Amino acid sequence: QIHDMVSFAQFSGKLVPIAPQNAQYDVVVDFNNKNPSTQIQLLPSEIFTPADAYTWVLEGRYDAYFDIKLSYQNNVEKDGAPYHDFADRLTYAPYRGIPTWPLFNKNEQELADAYDAALKTLHDNGTITELSLKYFGEDVFQFVTE
């Protein structure tokens, strides 16, 4: 029933709170700005643990937790994971990637340029996709929209 942000917003939009300094907060703000008639309830929060978030979803206090895929896999899907017993009650639906950028010292422009050129080459020749498939089991760059 819930397979993306729109269907989640239509279902209930009850999302575990997110710290405003977290990039995930901005993803939800962006979604809400682009979908004024289909909103996700975004509550700012400070610190809590993933264990709290999983428990709140399992208790029904919230209907979703904006989690990182690897964290979900390690906490729910993996045999022996802390929440593996609830794998039949929890699921993961990807939305989009959060763009990140490397930081370079302003005095290292040559290094930054070489990095950009190498990344472009790896993208253009398909190596980035190949490595993504090898290490993540999917092309994670399909989720990067910028």
Side-chain angles (χ1 to χ4, degrees), residues 1-34:
Q1 184 176 0
I2 299 171
H3 49 83
D4 59 17
M5 296 280 273
V6 172
S7 59
F8 170 64
Q10 292 169 342
F11 178 80
S12 74
K14 288 175 43 182
L15 182 66
V16 169
I18 302 173
Q21 67 272 19
N22 187 320
Q24 296 167 334
Y25 191 91
D26 287 335
V27 170
V28 178
V29 167
D30 183 57
F31 173 85
N32 283 344
N33 288 339
K34 291 177 180 174

Side-chain angles (χ1 to χ4, degrees), residues 75-110:
N75 285 309
V76 178
E77 291 181 348
K78 188 186 272 186
D79 285 337
Y83 287 86
H84 184 70
D85 290 345
F86 303 103
D88 62 334
R89 294 180 51 203
L90 298 169
T91 190
Y92 187 90
Y95 173 58
R96 75 173 212 205
I98 299 173
T100 57
W101 294 269
L103 297 176
F104 294 97
N105 184 309
K106 287 183 178 183
N107 298 324
E108 297 292 338
Q109 188 60 52
E110 186 177 329

